[in-house]
Amino acid sequence: DQGVCVARNLEIACPDVRPAPAARLAGITVDASGRILVTSTDLGVAHWTGTEYAAVTCTPACPWPDSVTAIATLSDGAVVVGARAQLTWMRAAGIERYGAEDGLPDAHIATFLEDPEGSLWVGTDGGGLVRLRAPRVRAYGPEHGLSGPLVTSIVQDAEGTIWAGSRLGPPVALTSQDRFDQRLPAGLAPTAVA
């Protein structure tokens, strides 16, 4: 309910901002120019100025709905925005969009991970995990070893292994091109990850 809070020198300040988003903030990122961008299910994408939320505008109109569920800044400086069955890249050269017609599942985008090879891993709320390496889209679901179709977090460990987390079961690791398996990082007990 606080919107954006700022932590400096172990102190946290949550400015009272009006108008604050009516819905929860769903994502936050810092773009290549240093702007703080936030998403919510009622704002779409907004720039946090430090004192207010200013809607991000596009010419032509922004291709995402008001209900944006995830945002991230990629290594090339592009900002990727996720909504239901839709990814939008904002780049200096323009806007690019991927949707269900390109192979994305019809589910809300929950999280992103960009790997060192340039693939974008997309966790969804009901559609499993997707690996996007334009123009190819590869979908993974429970039949590939995921704990379920809800993927809430994705990380890559120091050895390069992709891990997918879900509220529906334990984290799983990509152990081959087509298979996720439950395995624990060295030295962790099962209760440390559950």
Side-chain angles (χ1 to χ4, degrees):
D1 293 1
Q2 295 294 327
V4 174
C5 295
V6 179
R8 287 195 181 107
N9 300 323
L10 300 177
E11 292 185 20
I12 298 175
C14 300
D16 184 23
V17 176
R18 301 288 177 244
R24 70 176 178 85
L25 293 180
I28 187 168
T29 192
V30 177
D31 72 8
S33 68
R35 293 185 312 164
I36 297 173
L37 300 175
V38 298
T39 64
S40 79
T41 54
D42 70 332
L43 277 177
V45 179
H47 167 219
W48 168 246
T49 67
T51 58
E52 65 183 3
Y53 296 98
V56 170
T57 58
C58 311
T59 305
C62 297
W64 55 77
D66 287 341
S67 182
V68 175
T69 53
I71 191 168
T73 301
L74 304 180
S75 61
D76 66 359
V79 173
V80 63
V81 176
R84 181 170 189 86
Q86 180 178 317
L87 291 172
T88 304
W89 277 261
M90 295 188 300
R91 294 187 166 96
I95 293 176
E96 180 182 352
R97 185 186 160 298
Y98 272 78
E101 65 278 4
D102 301 303
L104 290 179
D106 185 21
H108 287 286
I109 306 300
T111 188
F112 304 112
L113 170 75
E114 181 184 24
D115 70 22
E117 290 80 38
S119 293
L120 183 66
W121 294 84
V122 181
T124 71
D125 184 0
L129 181 67
V130 175
R131 181 180 186 186
L132 177 61
R133 184 158 186 146
R136 294 181 45 204
V137 176
R138 172 75 169 95
Y140 298 89
E143 66 277 14
H144 301 100
L146 290 180
S147 297
L150 171 62
V151 177
T152 56
S153 59
I154 313 164
V155 297
Q156 187 169 27
D157 66 21
E159 295 158 1
T161 302
I162 300 291
W163 290 83
S166 172
R167 291 189 303 262
L168 303 175
V172 292
L174 184 62
T175 55
S176 71
Q177 287 289 21
D178 293 318
R179 187 79 195 147
F180 281 83
D181 290 306
Q182 293 179 22
R183 68 179 173 101
L184 297 175
L188 282 185
T191 56
V193 203

